[in-house]
Amino acid sequence: MQAQTDFLTAADVAQPELAGVGAVVERSIQAGRLVGSVVLAMRDGRLVHQSVHGMADREAGMPMRPDTLFRLASVSKPMVSAAALALVGQGALMLDQAITGILPWFQPRLADGAVATITLRQLLSHTAGLGYGFLEREGGGPYQAAGVSDGMDEASGSLEENMRRLADVPLLYPPGRAWGYSLATDVLGAVIERASGLSLPAALARWVAQPLGLRDTSFAVVDPARLAAAYVDAEPRPRRMADLETASVFPGTAGLRFAPRRAFDAQAFPSGGSGMIGTAPDFLAFLESLRANDERVLPSWLVREMARDQAAGLMLPPWPGRGFGLGFTVLRNPQAADTPESVGSWRLGGAYGHAWFVDPARALSVVAFTNTAFEGMSGRFTVDLCEAVYAAL
């Protein structure tokens, strides 16, 4: 799929066996769980489903469009990971090298003060001993006390300044000994900058966006008129996010500090883990490039490594039955994960309301971008959508 391919009409795209997918989206909109969404599916390299429902900006009366722009949150992670792996493919980086050779100032220690070695592979697989401020206990912990930004708030300073603050906080565990969702991809962004001599936005453009023709994917809003408003779960329907908003993904945690206007702040540092802006068709084109091994972004051997469970033997508390590759989860056990996806399927999401999965065994890629946190990332909608896709297949 070319990112800029003109969308087919509903009659051209909709297949009888996928009719249930659109119905799931429509029910979620009508029930008031989602404000708007763009859902795309490809199978065997062919676009087989397109659903565009609801409002991009409810208060302004702006309907959702196929090319609506979204704040991507953690949808950024696999693309930044791919940029780092592109440098591995060129020999500029090595998966098992210590990152202190690239960032000599990034040397976080263990709780007992012992020096720890973090490798590039551990950053990519989230086994580096790092964490996230939003996952700390309610009221905050060491990350928030040190002023470490999760990349979605209005934190001031540069990427390096934020990573230096992170380096002053003790690691949560010895690298490689456990798994934890973390700011590792932000550190990865700093590694990419130092290894390439480019800013992170320029590096992403050079090694991901340009090879795929992704004109709408970057760390900036290319067309403000197309950017979806952000909403958060509420009763009886989602409410528009405030300029500064804190919402917890898990009960008892500090919560994510959202700043939707950060998307327009040219001074905000580029967060590798959560800072990009893009569209559903652009991201689908990226996923399909990896799934089809077309080598426009990565050589086949690195795609295989990206999709291999790098956290074997380690538990992922948020995702039972799943392991982690180099940028996204990898399904180990469909029964434990309670999913119809095939073993080896890739999946992640984005806190602003996004879900996606790739099932290589079924040559299937599905992208569901919404503007509703957290329903569009981890709510009932994501379960219903996945079940409808596999029921259709």
Side-chain angles (χ1 to χ4, degrees):
M1 176 186 181
Q2 296 298 315
Q4 300 304 320
T5 296
D6 290 337
F7 274 79
L8 304 176
T9 66
D12 292 327
V13 176
Q15 304 297 309
E17 67 272 18
L18 288 182
V21 176
V24 163
V25 181
E26 182 62 27
R27 282 198 302 271
S28 298
I29 299 288
Q30 293 299 321
R33 299 200 310 271
L34 295 177
V35 177
S37 68
V38 178
V39 179
L40 305 173
M42 292 190 76
R43 193 171 189 205
D44 294 316
R46 185 172 65 92
L47 185 65
V48 294
H49 183 81
Q50 172 187 314
S51 292
V52 182
H53 289 276
M55 306 302 290
D57 188 325
R58 186 176 62 202
E59 290 71 24
M62 183 172 77
M64 195 66 76
R65 296 173 18 171
D67 65 348
T68 292
L69 293 165
F70 295 89
R71 299 164 178 85
L72 296 184
S74 286
V75 173
S76 307
K77 286 182 172 70
M79 290 187 282
V80 172
S81 298
L85 290 170
L87 290 170
V88 172
Q90 297 165 20
L93 292 172
M94 295 180 291
L95 279 173
D96 295 306
Q97 72 181 104
I99 64 168
T100 50
I102 305 295
L103 301 178
W105 47 265
F106 191 82
Q107 298 188 46
R109 295 173 177 264
L110 297 171
D112 63 3
V115 175
T117 299
I118 297 174
T119 66
L120 185 69
R121 187 188 301 273
Q122 290 163 346
L123 289 180
L124 286 157
S125 60
H126 290 252
T127 58
L130 302 168
Y132 257 128
F134 78 87
L135 293 175
E136 293 183 315
R137 66 182 181 276
E138 192 170 359
Y143 277 43
Q144 290 200 17
V148 176
S149 169
D150 286 341
M152 296 177 66
D153 56 11
E154 287 196 316
S156 60
S158 67
L159 172 60
E160 181 173 325
E161 288 169 340
N162 196 51
M163 294 300 94
R164 285 183 181 273
R165 288 193 289 269
L166 176 62
D168 286 339
V169 181
L171 294 172
L172 301 178
Y173 55 83
R177 297 286 296 276
W179 182 91
Y181 199 53
S182 73
L183 279 160
T185 314
D186 280 52
V187 182
L188 191 65
V191 170
I192 290 170
E193 289 194 336
R194 184 61 62 91
S196 68
L198 299 173
S199 69
L200 183 57
L204 262 290
R206 180 169 179 177
W207 288 300
V208 178
Q210 291 173 4
L212 298 175
L214 310 184
R215 292 182 296 186
D216 286 330
T217 299
S218 70
F219 284 89
V221 181
V222 297
D223 182 358
R226 287 195 283 132
L227 181 66
Y231 297 86
V232 65
D233 298 334
E235 293 293 341
R237 63 176 187 168
R239 61 174 174 79
R240 196 181 185 99
M241 268 191 194
D243 287 339
L244 297 174
E245 181 93 36
T246 299
S248 295
V249 185
F250 305 108
T253 57
L256 268 167
R257 293 174 291 173
F258 290 94
R261 62 190 178 193
R262 181 188 174 105
F264 299 101
D265 184 358
Q267 303 306 312
F269 70 82
S271 167
S274 60
M276 298 183 73
I277 309 293
T279 63
D282 268 13
F283 190 66
L284 183 60
F286 166 74
L287 293 178
E288 277 288 289
S289 174
L290 299 182
R291 185 204 62 78
N293 279 313
D294 66 21
E295 301 200 339
R296 284 183 291 167
V297 174
L298 294 178
S300 296
W301 71 273
L302 276 173
V303 175
R304 290 193 297 271
E305 193 66 14
M306 194 178 193
R308 184 174 68 84
D309 183 5
Q310 307 281 331
L314 303 176
M315 298 299 295
L316 278 63
W319 297 303
R322 298 185 190 272
F324 210 89
L326 301 178
F328 44 71
T329 69
V330 179
L331 183 61
R332 295 171 178 167
N333 185 325
Q335 289 72 38
D338 193 21
T339 180
E341 298 160 84
S342 305
V343 171
S345 291
W346 320 339
R347 179 183 279 270
L348 206 58
Y352 272 107
H354 315 313
W356 64 267
F357 60 91
V358 174
D359 187 334
R362 304 294 290 268
L364 173 71
S365 298
V366 177
V367 171
F369 281 5
T370 84
N371 53 357
T372 312
F374 297 105
E375 175 68 20
M377 176 185 73
S378 56
R380 184 68 206 178
F381 163 73
T382 64
V383 177
D384 291 347
L385 176 70
C386 185
E387 291 179 351
V389 167
Y390 283 89
L393 298 179

